[in-house]
Amino acid sequence: MAISKFNYNSFNVTPVASKALAFNSDADGFTTASGSSMILIKTLTASSSANLSFVNGSSDVVLDDTYPVYKFLCINCHPSQQGGDGDEFSVGFRDGSTAYDASKTSTFFSSVHGEDGSGGAVAYRDSHDQANATGFQTLAVDMDADNDTQVSGELTLFNPSSTTFVKHFIWRGNHVHSSAGIQDTYVAGYCNVTAAIDAVQFKMSAGNIDAGVIKLYGIADS
Amino acid sequence: MAISKLNFNSLNVTPTASKGIGFDSGADDLEASFQGGSMVFIKKLTASSSATLDFVHGSGGVDFSTHKEYVFIFNNLHPQTDDQIFTFQGSIDAGSNYNVAITSTTFFANHNEADSTAALGYQSNFDQAQGTAFQQTSGTTGSDNDQCNVGILHLFNPSSTTFVKHFICRTSIYSATNYAVDANVAGYFNTTSDIDAMQFKYQSGNIDAGTITLYGIA
């Protein structure tokens, strides 16, 4: 159906910067509309992957001053192995070299509850925080590797391109614990560097990310 | 100004209420199926030795009546004075007063760079029980050049005149004593009047730098 039903003179919209053109609520004229401020940048899908890496300037990834805040959504990330060193989901930040070893100070606490009703508790877990350490930051521990188990969560990274301030990050995620229960994990802290963070990598402590998706979004502020 | 530059005959679109015009899946035609996302930018305030940052309904494009949820993102807020707690309060009189009664909970996790202290606990010095003071969001942020605090505050349905107004806030700070602090605050403005302004400030001294950006969740 042609839009020729519209009177030429009915295109009467006052331009507004950074807005889109849309039909009004009566569908008989035009108005301006806002797009979303949460912009999908990149989706990476694991398939027995040693890691999933988001590198600024590579494979359409943007991780610079284009956005002031970035969000990573980790969805159904499933470890290839359970037990030993293979059951921790973790993140590393790159601050200038090729290594994901930006120094971090962080906190880590979680609540747990078993499928059998046991163990309902919340506690700080000091074996998983960091004190100006360069290792990967654990986001989920003691993961179960049964076919139907996984970790899902959201990591927010603030202003990675700043060369003035440390770079804060906040994570909340939950996963199926190896002893059959839920673990709700809170991690927060900062990369204690003033160099820009230009890449972020997710991996298991050993083994692969067998399956799952991680999506990177930019949060626009204009 | 009318969009008179559009070629009248080039548009072949069935009008659909509240939808935008975008290209179709074949990229060979236009259709009225485009819908922007649900996180809508409203206003960004940038601190520059600012005593407060204020979002007032009806001022500077701020609108607290359209959406059911509002999100404030604090980015790299830096206090001018060392050892300051970042705070917020709401107003029911368009910013004339920021003193709404708040009942809230607060719990923090903290860990220092020296790795000598790590803890999780309820913070009874930071909660409020019908208090009208500014709500503290976290421990104290340091004023070293690289220190700052960040976070996200969710405010639910501030225009309701039926219910109290809930908020949830999570912040990460780099404290004056070199701690990472994960601060979790939740509560409600105990009023059925609409919240029509929000003010942010440090307990003392100015906000030297940083931004607070307001979004509506459509």
Side-chain angles (χ1 to χ4, degrees):
Chain A
M1 179 189 303
I3 207 165
S4 55
K5 288 190 293 185
F6 282 90
N7 186 313
Y8 183 69
N9 293 322
S10 72
F11 288 93
N12 187 18
V13 178
T14 301
V16 178
S18 303
K19 299 286 186 179
L21 178 66
F23 290 105
N24 65 18
S25 57
D26 294 325
D28 61 358
F30 290 101
T31 186
T32 57
S34 298
S36 176
S37 293
M38 186 169 171
I39 312 297
L40 176 64
I41 297 171
K42 184 74 176 178
T43 300
L44 295 180
T45 301
S47 178
S48 298
S49 305
N51 60 68
L52 293 180
S53 303
F54 296 86
V55 180
N56 181 49
S58 174
S59 302
D60 300 323
V61 171
V62 174
L63 193 66
D64 57 13
D65 62 359
T66 302
Y67 300 101
V69 177
Y70 289 83
K71 239 178 225 308
F72 298 88
L73 293 187
C74 304
I75 304 162
N76 295 357
C77 292
H78 177 72
S80 64
Q81 66 185 71
Q82 177 181 329
D85 294 327
D87 53 7
E88 293 186 0
F89 184 62
S90 61
V91 64
F93 303 94
R94 197 177 82 170
D95 63 346
S97 69
T98 56
Y100 292 83
D101 62 352
S103 177
K104 296 168 289 299
T105 296
S106 62
T107 61
F108 188 111
F109 68 95
S110 61
S111 60
V112 295
H113 188 217
E115 292 179 1
D116 61 359
S118 65
V122 59
Y124 194 90
R125 296 170 66 106
D126 59 10
S127 56
H128 301 291
D129 61 13
Q130 298 213 46
N132 274 348
T134 58
F136 271 60
Q137 173 63 53
T138 302
L139 301 175
V141 298
D142 302 325
M143 288 184 66
D144 191 277
D146 287 354
N147 288 340
D148 63 346
T149 63
Q150 43 84 16
V151 57
S152 294
E154 179 178 300
L155 176 72
T156 305
L157 176 62
F158 294 83
N159 216 359
S161 68
S162 171
T163 54
T164 301
F165 296 108
V166 300
K167 264 61 78 178
H168 284 273
F169 55 88
I170 295 175
W171 160 267
R172 185 178 180 185
N174 67 44
H175 66 278
V176 180
H177 192 274
S178 56
S179 55
I182 184 69
Q183 184 156 4
D184 178 9
T185 302
Y186 294 68
V187 178
Y190 49 85
C191 297
N192 198 0
V193 296
T194 53
I197 299 296
D198 65 354
V200 176
Q201 183 176 89
F202 297 85
K203 67 177 184 179
M204 304 304 299
S205 49
N208 293 331
I209 305 174
D210 188 47
V213 169
I214 301 180
K215 290 176 172 287
L216 171 62
Y217 297 86
I219 307 298
D221 66 349
S222 63
Chain B
M1 181 199 303
I3 303 179
S4 54
K5 290 180 181 175
L6 288 176
N7 186 323
F8 183 68
N9 294 320
S10 71
L11 297 176
N12 184 22
V13 178
T14 302
T16 305
S18 302
K19 297 289 187 180
I21 298 173
F23 292 105
D24 66 6
S25 57
D28 56 1
D29 208 343
L30 296 173
E31 62 183 8
S33 60
F34 183 79
Q35 186 168 20
S38 296
M39 185 176 183
V40 179
F41 168 80
I42 297 174
K43 183 77 174 176
K44 178 171 76 170
L45 297 179
T46 301
S48 178
S49 297
S50 307
T52 66
L53 292 179
D54 301 353
F55 295 86
V56 179
H57 177 74
S59 174
V62 173
D63 174 5
F64 282 125
S65 64
T66 300
H67 304 294
K68 297 302 183 187
E69 179 185 354
Y70 290 83
V71 175
F72 299 88
I73 296 183
F74 318 140
N75 200 0
N76 287 5
L77 296 173
H78 181 254
Q80 210 153 39
T81 307
D82 196 28
D83 215 14
Q84 295 303 317
I85 297 171
F86 189 64
T87 67
F88 68 86
Q89 236 310 1
S91 171
I92 59 172
D93 53 14
S96 295
N97 297 280
Y98 290 94
N99 57 0
V100 182
I102 291 175
T103 295
S104 59
T105 64
T106 54
F107 67 94
F108 300 170
N110 60 70
H111 181 214
N112 64 349
E113 292 180 359
D115 204 18
S116 57
T117 303
L120 169 68
Y122 191 84
Q123 302 291 328
S124 58
N125 293 332
F126 291 79
D127 63 10
Q128 297 205 67
Q130 296 295 86
T132 57
F134 274 66
Q135 176 63 51
Q136 301 173 97
T137 64
S138 64
T140 59
T141 302
S143 65
D144 289 355
N145 287 340
D146 64 346
Q147 293 181 319
C148 62
N149 56 281
V150 303
I152 300 175
L153 168 67
H154 301 262
L155 174 63
F156 299 92
N157 209 4
S159 64
S160 170
T161 53
T162 303
F163 297 107
V164 301
K165 265 61 81 178
H166 284 274
F167 56 84
I168 298 173
C169 183
R170 188 177 182 198
T171 61
S172 176
I173 75 162
Y174 187 175
S175 83
T177 49
N178 299 328
Y179 277 72
V181 181
D182 178 0
N184 293 267
V185 178
Y188 52 87
F189 295 105
N190 197 359
T191 178
T192 53
S193 299
D194 62 304
I195 298 292
D196 55 10
M198 292 285 287
Q199 184 176 85
F200 300 86
K201 64 179 182 180
Y202 284 108
Q203 273 193 320
S204 179
N206 291 336
I207 307 171
D208 184 50
T211 63
I212 300 179
T213 308
L214 172 62
Y215 302 87
I217 306 301

